[in-house]
Amino acid sequence: MSYEKNNIVIVTVVSLLFIISSAIVYFVFFFEEPLKDDVKDSIYVKVTDKDIIDELKNIIINNNLIELAKHEKTIDNINTASNEIKLNMSFSKVLKDTNYKYDDKIDATLLDSYFKDNFKDKIYFNKKDILCSCEEKLYIYDEETNSYKYNLEHTAHPIYEAYPYYTKVLSVDKKNDIYVIKVSYIWNTYTREGYTNTGYASYNDSIDKQNALFEIEVPSVNYNILNNTDINVDGYAIKEIENNYELYKNKLHKYIYTFEKENDIYKLVSFKFEK
């Protein structure tokens, strides 16, 4: 009888030790504490949907948000951007969207609509004359009619500006209705004669004509900066970039746009620059 009791005790002790050991192993190696709602809400997930990626990329390009990248500084609140940046972003977008003739007036309320439609926060800015790169007035603001008109006294001169040849989406991450898209640009300059054949890692390099990434040879054609096709230098540059991207990627600057989706519309919240 005593022998049987001892056996029962031994079996019971061994069973308890096994249960305790199993519990320790589970809690140490396998147990995951359920995420609290606020923790779940703080986690970004990678976006792989090509339609969403392309939509965000096109919003940046079509709504002239590339203007922010020219200045290469972080703007956590768009209202901290200079009045000049705000004017250039909005006015050039409005100008592109209208069939403007030199003797037309441009309704300045379109600038208000631009900010309302594209930015999360209410954007404050002063409507002033639009200056040319030569510092002369290019479009004059008339406060009485709340409109802009081209300055016919502005002296014609060669155009020299820089825009991206190419926009490369590096990543898109999402948290609830917040979307963060990181891109790189390869910039080039153009004049009245058309695009140049050199690519740069930044706007400033392009303007200063320094630290060129590449120069391409293209056939002699009549370049049209408003109608980019594969027969012009822009098309040849894109092929150069796509074929040799690995050579350039570590030299490119990075620009991060944060959008919030509101009633199916992506609105810009902030902009970050990474060299």
Side-chain angles (χ1 to χ4, degrees):
M1 189 70 174
S2 175
Y3 175 78
E4 291 178 354
K5 286 183 178 180
N6 287 338
N7 282 343
I8 292 172
V9 171
I10 291 171
V11 170
T12 302
V13 171
V14 170
S15 298
L16 287 172
L17 288 174
F18 177 77
I19 292 171
I20 293 170
S21 299
S22 298
I24 291 172
V25 170
Y26 171 74
F27 280 102
V28 171
F29 295 102
F30 299 103
F31 176 74
E32 294 184 5
E33 184 179 354
L35 292 175
K36 297 179 181 179
D37 289 340
D38 59 343
V39 175
K40 289 180 182 179
D41 290 344
S42 69
I43 297 175
Y44 281 87
V45 296
K46 185 177 181 61
V47 175
T48 57
D49 188 318
K50 187 176 183 301
D51 289 340
I52 294 176
I53 295 172
D54 287 344
E55 185 176 9
L56 288 169
K57 174 183 173 181
N58 290 332
I59 286 171
I60 292 172
I61 296 171
N62 296 335
N63 292 340
N64 206 29
L65 300 179
I66 288 172
E67 183 71 28
L68 295 171
K70 292 181 179 181
H71 304 276
E72 303 215 324
K73 63 180 181 179
T74 294
I75 305 175
D76 291 325
N77 183 329
I78 306 300
N79 274 308
T80 63
S82 70
N83 199 68
E84 181 184 9
I85 292 175
K86 295 173 187 175
L87 276 179
N88 287 339
M89 274 198 304
S90 56
F91 190 82
S92 55
K93 167 61 175 172
V94 168
L95 198 62
K96 185 171 67 174
D97 289 347
T98 59
N99 295 317
Y100 177 76
K101 297 182 178 61
Y102 286 129
D103 57 348
D104 288 343
K105 288 184 178 181
I106 298 175
D107 185 353
T109 62
L110 295 174
L111 277 66
D112 299 308
S113 297
Y114 167 80
F115 288 115
K116 182 179 179 181
D117 294 341
N118 293 291
F119 294 82
K120 170 66 177 176
D121 294 330
K122 180 176 175 59
I123 304 301
Y124 299 93
F125 70 106
N126 295 320
K127 294 170 183 173
K128 294 184 177 181
D129 298 334
I130 307 296
L131 301 182
C132 178
S133 57
C134 68
E135 300 300 323
E136 290 185 11
K137 295 178 181 179
L138 189 58
Y139 293 89
I140 299 173
Y141 176 62
D142 183 350
E143 186 174 2
E144 186 174 340
T145 61
N146 194 26
S147 65
Y148 283 91
K149 193 166 185 177
Y150 181 74
N151 179 16
L152 295 174
E153 295 181 1
H154 176 256
T155 305
H157 59 81
I159 298 173
Y160 185 75
E161 211 1 316
Y163 287 100
Y165 269 135
Y166 190 76
T167 301
K168 176 73 173 179
V169 177
L170 303 176
S171 65
V172 177
D173 297 294
K174 174 184 182 297
K175 179 186 70 176
N176 298 328
D177 292 325
I178 302 296
Y179 292 78
V180 180
I181 176 171
K182 180 185 291 189
V183 303
S184 285
Y185 301 119
I186 294 183
W187 302 77
N188 84 307
T189 55
Y190 72 79
T191 65
R192 293 179 69 89
E193 289 72 37
Y195 283 113
T196 63
N197 63 346
T198 309
Y200 298 89
S202 72
Y203 173 81
N204 288 332
D205 281 350
S206 186
I207 290 294
D208 296 336
K209 295 184 179 180
Q210 64 183 10
N211 304 320
L213 295 172
F214 60 78
E215 291 187 12
I216 53 176
E217 294 184 5
V218 296
S220 178
V221 295
N222 181 21
Y223 303 132
N224 181 354
I225 65 173
L226 298 179
N227 184 24
N228 298 331
T229 68
D230 280 348
I231 67 169
N232 68 18
V233 69
D234 190 44
Y236 283 91
I238 289 174
K239 290 176 182 177
E240 164 66 23
I241 295 160
E242 291 181 341
N243 291 338
N244 299 290
Y245 178 72
E246 291 298 315
L247 297 176
Y248 309 128
K249 68 177 184 180
N250 292 331
K251 300 178 181 179
L252 303 181
H253 297 185
K254 299 176 180 63
Y255 310 92
I256 303 171
Y257 299 82
T258 298
F259 292 90
E260 183 171 343
K261 193 173 185 181
E262 187 178 86
N263 299 322
D264 290 329
I265 298 174
Y266 295 97
K267 295 192 173 184
L268 188 67
V269 176
S270 63
F271 172 81
K272 184 176 180 181
F273 165 66
E274 289 183 2
K275 190 170 183 179

